[in-house]
Amino acid sequence: MAWLAERVRQVAYPAAGVAVLLLAWHVAAVASWVPSYLLPEPLKVAASIWRTTLDGTLWMHLKPTLQATVVGYVAGSLVAILLAALVAEFKWVERALLLHLLALQSIPKVSVAPLVFLWLGFDIGGKVLLVGLICFFPVFANALAGFRAADPNLIDLMRAAGAGRAHIWWHVKLPGAFSPIFAGLEVSVAFALIGCVVMEFIGATRGMGFMIQDASNTFDLALSLSAVIILGLVGLFGNALVRIARARMLFWEGDRGAGVVGSSHV
Amino acid sequence: MSSPPAGSRQPGWAVPESLKVVLASAGTFCVLLLLWLGVIRAFALPPEMLPSPAAVLVALSDGWIGGTFWPHIAFTVQGSLGGWLIGVVIGVVAGVVVAEWRIARQVFYPIVIGIQSMPTVAIAPLIIVYFGVGLPSKLVTVALLCCFPVFVNTVAGLMSADARLLDLYRAASATRWRTLLDVKLPSAADHMLASLQIALVLSFIGCVVSEFIASRAGLGHLIKTYSNDLNVAVMFAAIATLAVIGGGLGYLVALMRRRVVFWGRQA
């Protein structure tokens, strides 16, 4: 029973914490220490989430954000894994590209958003590009480290048994790099959403970023906060999905829990 | 006729790896430059779509030597570094308090881990409503973004302290404060300094995004303004400037990490 009590505590304590924070927010709003148009009560925010869910405006804004985020995230991660494999596998690719990639990495990726907007407009293409760009580096850096850390003994063994380069890559190096790749994928979820939302801040007529900014401009802070909260929940959900996929594929490692040291390779 | 002994390679002819890297990188650079020029020529792109490299250089020299960038650089650095500092202090203090107090740790640590998977910067427009378009809104946005990873890593680092060493200190009836200073903080140092790097990256994201939304100065503001004017050369120059500042500061923090945690693993 001890493990059950522990499990209950793990859920109940944070839940109680969130409840207390909500209560404090409610008290602060009702006591009108700040004008109510600046700090709407939690119930008003909940009501606004409920209303926008029913009349479909929430889905209207959520759908384009989800689409662009998922497509950009998958595309950016795949390109990152592929490029990391090439850099790890071929010395001349590393020599030719690695310095440039390091230089690109030091650009705050969101700063190119207006440029992307200028080139690709506010269709899904621009959002996918920025999301992909922002997801690329955490996955690339982790995948590269993973490919490089492949067990040389195992590779020698495979080579002695006559395995070719592609065979070794597929059966030794790629599975060996899964763990760091997933660490990168986990970090990238929040960054993917950031990329999409920032594009929608720059210019959009739909999307969660647009919803937040539009509501803020018209001082409908209850609506704006609901959009922020929904986006946060999307981030939590996406992160949980990646962790479930990780636990499935790396079943021998189990669920480590959420990553602690985030990636600085952003 | 004596042939050279087998296996002896002339050391004078071996091209050092660093030279190969420089040559290959320079090669890529030239290819990219030619590609850039070629694309402009082939598609007859106007400068408001893709400026020539020369135009970007002119914009860079106008900005740096002519001095038009300086006030914006100063604003963005103030917003990013100032907010970073505030966020780091909040994150470390809250992290130490929470790690030392078991109930608080069980309540808040999972909450903050959850917040880390959320796109926090989405709240930037609201912060501008609260704090206006000036520097304060940038400081608050950046501090908010920075404090969470620092908090999480501080708590995780403090909890990673060697249990045997903690037992030893307890057996010697060391005070809580002594244990914190001697055992826990040194073992948390690597985690904490790693989080400073992450926070620095986030600080520039936060500041630039806040400047995109509403601002009167800053490199993000500059990029946004010139995108309305279709002056892409200045946008390129401002983005490059951001990269240099962000990369330079990131390098300094990485250097500090290596100096401080000289015993730590190289991560």
Side-chain angles (χ1 to χ4, degrees):
Chain A
M1 290 306 277
W3 65 270
L4 191 66
E6 180 59 33
R7 193 86 195 129
V8 168
R9 198 177 302 139
Q10 275 174 6
V11 178
Y13 278 29
V18 172
V20 169
L21 290 177
L22 282 177
L23 194 67
W25 171 10
H26 181 77
V27 170
V30 170
S32 349
W33 293 323
V34 269
S36 68
Y37 69 93
L38 281 182
L39 187 67
E41 302 153 36
L43 284 176
K44 274 193 189 145
V45 176
S48 138
I49 293 180
W50 182 243
R51 185 171 46 77
T52 49
T53 311
L54 285 187
D55 69 11
T57 36
L58 181 64
W59 182 240
M60 181 182 93
H61 291 297
L62 189 55
K63 196 175 147 200
T65 301
L66 285 180
Q67 278 173 340
T69 306
V70 170
V71 175
Y73 175 80
V74 172
S77 306
L78 282 179
V79 172
I81 294 170
L82 202 69
L83 207 57
L86 289 177
V87 168
E89 208 61 28
F90 302 104
K91 199 70 194 160
W92 54 269
V93 176
E94 179 188 332
R95 288 184 193 123
L97 290 187
L98 204 55
L99 275 182
H100 295 279
L101 288 172
L102 284 177
L104 278 184
Q105 193 184 322
S106 57
I107 299 178
K109 256 63 69 187
V110 292
S111 69
V112 301
L115 200 58
V116 173
F117 179 71
L118 213 60
W119 283 340
L120 296 177
F122 50 73
D123 280 340
I124 188 169
K127 292 190 214 172
V128 166
L129 182 62
L130 192 71
V131 171
L133 202 62
I134 212 169
C135 289
F136 174 84
F137 285 97
V139 180
F140 175 80
N142 279 291
L144 185 60
F147 289 134
R148 281 181 172 166
D151 184 357
N153 290 326
L154 209 53
I155 292 171
D156 281 347
L157 186 70
M158 296 282 281
R159 202 171 287 149
R165 195 168 199 166
H167 190 82
I168 292 179
W169 187 81
W170 185 252
H171 288 282
V172 178
K173 292 193 177 174
L174 184 62
F178 275 159
S179 187
I181 286 175
F182 269 106
L185 288 176
E186 235 177 87
V187 177
S188 283
V189 174
F191 281 110
L193 284 167
I194 289 177
C196 192
V197 169
V198 169
M199 275 310 282
E200 289 163 356
F201 283 164
I202 297 295
T205 50
R206 283 200 298 158
M208 296 305 277
F210 170 77
M211 190 178 170
I212 294 171
Q213 203 175 12
D214 194 44
S216 295
N217 288 343
T218 53
F219 283 91
D220 189 350
L221 295 199
L223 186 62
S224 188
L225 274 171
S226 8
V228 169
I229 290 170
I230 296 291
L231 261 180
L233 292 179
V234 169
L236 268 183
F237 182 69
N239 198 272
L241 278 185
V242 175
R243 282 202 290 145
I244 291 170
R246 205 197 83 93
R248 279 284 169 88
M249 285 183 81
L250 297 168
F251 51 89
W252 59 90
E253 283 186 3
D255 190 357
R256 287 179 310 194
V260 172
V261 181
S263 175
S264 56
H265 309 285
V266 203
Chain B
M1 286 288 276
S2 67
S3 59
S8 89
R9 289 183 56 188
Q10 298 275 330
W13 287 103
V15 182
E17 177 61 25
S18 54
L19 184 62
K20 283 186 192 167
V21 170
V22 170
L23 286 177
S25 299
T28 314
F29 186 75
C30 292
V31 169
L32 289 175
L33 210 59
L34 285 176
L35 207 65
W36 184 350
L37 290 167
V39 165
I40 294 177
R41 183 67 54 88
F43 299 101
L45 289 180
E48 57 268 23
M49 281 299 282
L50 187 64
S52 68
V56 176
L57 282 181
V58 169
L60 267 175
S61 94
D62 281 352
W64 282 83
I65 301 166
T68 49
F69 277 10
W70 287 110
H72 299 289
I73 293 175
F75 187 85
T76 299
V77 168
Q78 272 178 53
S80 306
L81 275 191
W84 178 77
L85 211 59
I86 299 170
V88 166
V89 170
I90 293 175
V92 168
V93 171
V96 170
V97 170
V98 163
E100 286 292 300
W101 184 16
R102 208 169 60 94
I103 304 269
R105 193 175 73 213
Q106 284 168 336
V107 171
F108 288 110
Y109 189 58
I111 294 180
V112 178
I113 292 259
I115 291 177
Q116 280 222 285
S117 58
M118 300 177 177
T120 349
V121 82
I123 207 164
L126 276 147
I127 291 178
I128 285 178
V129 172
Y130 291 140
F131 293 92
V133 295
L135 192 60
S137 64
K138 277 69 198 163
L139 290 172
V140 173
T141 308
V142 172
L144 189 73
L145 255 66
C146 289
C147 69
F148 294 120
V150 176
F151 172 89
V152 168
N153 281 284
T154 302
V155 176
L158 290 173
M159 292 197 306
S160 75
D162 186 353
R164 286 167 305 170
L165 211 50
L166 289 178
D167 281 345
L168 186 69
Y169 265 67
R170 199 171 303 136
S173 54
T175 60
R176 193 172 200 166
W177 186 241
R178 191 77 267 161
T179 315
L180 183 69
L181 284 184
D182 285 4
V183 183
K184 291 186 178 172
L185 279 177
S187 58
D190 194 46
H191 270 92
M192 288 164 77
L193 285 160
S195 74
L196 296 193
Q197 281 172 278
I198 302 164
L200 192 70
V201 172
L202 290 174
S203 76
F204 279 92
I205 293 181
C207 194
V208 167
V209 170
S210 190
E211 286 169 8
F212 280 167
I213 294 165
S215 187
R216 288 193 209 94
L219 288 166
H221 168 73
L222 202 68
I223 294 171
K224 183 83 191 296
T225 314
Y226 279 94
S227 94
N228 297 340
D229 298 351
L230 298 179
N231 192 338
V232 179
V234 178
M235 293 169 74
F236 270 61
I239 292 169
T241 303
L242 264 175
V244 169
I245 297 172
L249 288 171
Y251 178 74
L252 284 182
V253 176
L255 207 66
M256 183 172 80
R257 179 180 175 197
R258 228 168 300 154
R259 278 289 164 81
V260 173
V261 198
F262 52 87
W263 63 88
R265 60 199 157 76
Q266 285 292 316

